[in-house]
């Protein structure tokens, strides 16, 4: 059985950028629904009992497996999103992530500009990502709906959810305000460093 990941912080920890009200719906309703759906969908299939990431990879790009992919990938994406955020995060990182950002983007300001612009410009529902490619170079990519960069050979380091349910209660149509506040105040650089390896 797949389970709903416990939040790594209290529902109000990310306030005021992301309110307890938003997190209550986002984690307790939207994220939980993907878990409930996937548990129903895998029943009796050859994917029953497989790890989540295996389900995501086995169903990616297969039209007849779209419900399995959408729900498994959305669980993976949300687990990753909650860990990408922390109270008192954001701003410029230190250590090896700072070095990788300087090598890949030239400066933290350039990273910030690209992370914001690419994530804000995702048309419709989706995600903005900081990833590392196979050569270890960092890039910013966006994905639509449930799509996830790990099916494209990219290693995710951090993500920002830009489905409207992630920000509409707090910021309404002002997606850029939400994205910029996440970058400046909530990104969990320790999580990015652990993912960079
Ligand atoms: Mn979401």
């Amino acid at each position: 059985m797949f389970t709903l990941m416990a939040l790594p912080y209290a529902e109000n920890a990310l306030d005021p950028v992301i309110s307890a009200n938003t997190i209550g719906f986002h984690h307790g309703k939207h994220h939980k629904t993907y878990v409930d759906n996937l548990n129903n969908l895998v029943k009796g299939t050859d994917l029953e009992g497989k790890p989540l990431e295996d389900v995501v990879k086995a169903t990616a790009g297969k039209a007849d497996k779209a419900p399995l992919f959408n729900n498994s990938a959305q669980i993976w994406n949300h687990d990753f999103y909650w860990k990408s955020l922390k109270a008192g995060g954001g701003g410029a990182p230190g250590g090896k992530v700072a070095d990788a950002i300087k090598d890949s983007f030239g400066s933290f300001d350039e990273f910030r500009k690209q992370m914001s612009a690419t994530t804000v410009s995702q048309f419709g529902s989706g995600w903005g990502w900081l990833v590392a490619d196979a050569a270890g170079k960092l890039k910013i990519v966006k994905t639509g709906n449930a799509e996830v960069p790990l099916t494209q050979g990219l290693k995710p380091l951090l993500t920002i959810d830009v489905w409207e349910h992630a920000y509409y209660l707090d910021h309404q149509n002002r997606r850029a305000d939400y994205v910029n506040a996440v970058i400046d105040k909530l990104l969990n650089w320790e999580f990015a460093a652990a993912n960079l390896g």
Side-chain angles (χ1 to χ4, degrees):
M1 290 288 280
F2 299 99
T3 54
L4 178 64
M5 185 191 99
L7 285 171
Y9 33 71
E11 284 191 353
N12 66 355
L14 309 181
D15 191 77
V17 178
I18 303 172
S19 67
N21 192 31
T22 289
I23 293 197
F25 280 101
H26 196 175
H27 177 259
K29 304 288 184 190
H30 292 276
H31 187 171
K32 182 178 185 296
T33 298
Y34 299 127
V35 174
D36 294 343
N37 287 346
L38 186 62
N39 280 322
N40 288 326
L41 286 163
V42 296
K43 244 178 238 161
T45 73
D46 56 358
L47 293 169
E48 191 171 4
K50 292 267 170 36
L52 181 66
E53 199 165 313
D54 291 5
V55 178
V56 173
K57 288 178 172 169
T59 57
K62 295 183 178 155
D64 61 326
K65 299 276 176 26
L68 278 161
F69 174 76
N70 287 334
N71 286 284
S72 61
Q74 281 294 78
I75 298 169
W76 197 96
N77 291 343
H78 283 89
D79 288 355
F80 199 84
Y81 171 65
W82 301 124
K83 292 185 274 193
S84 291
L85 309 177
K86 66 170 225 176
K96 66 183 175 184
V97 180
D99 296 341
I101 283 177
K102 190 156 192 304
D103 288 346
S104 302
F105 301 100
S107 67
F108 177 78
D109 285 349
E110 183 57 28
F111 154 79
R112 186 189 179 284
K113 203 169 94 184
Q114 287 186 33
M115 185 79 195
S116 176
T118 300
T119 303
V120 171
S121 69
Q122 166 56 34
F123 187 78
S125 296
W127 303 82
W129 303 84
L130 175 63
V131 300
D133 70 13
K137 189 174 167 64
L138 305 196
K139 293 179 172 170
I140 313 292
V141 297
K142 56 187 171 185
T143 60
N145 297 318
E147 294 294 332
V148 52
L150 56 88
T151 62
Q152 303 155 29
L154 298 168
K155 184 199 283 184
L157 304 185
L158 291 172
T159 194
I160 302 176
D161 188 343
V162 286
W163 284 58
E164 284 186 347
H165 63 225
Y167 62 88
Y168 220 83
L169 294 175
D170 299 324
H171 304 275
Q172 292 78 49
N173 61 314
R174 300 182 302 277
R175 180 189 276 187
D177 289 359
Y178 155 75
V179 168
N180 290 334
V182 168
I183 295 170
D184 293 339
K185 298 176 180 171
L186 297 181
L187 286 183
N188 184 345
W189 289 115
E190 291 81 11
F191 181 59
N195 292 323
L196 186 58

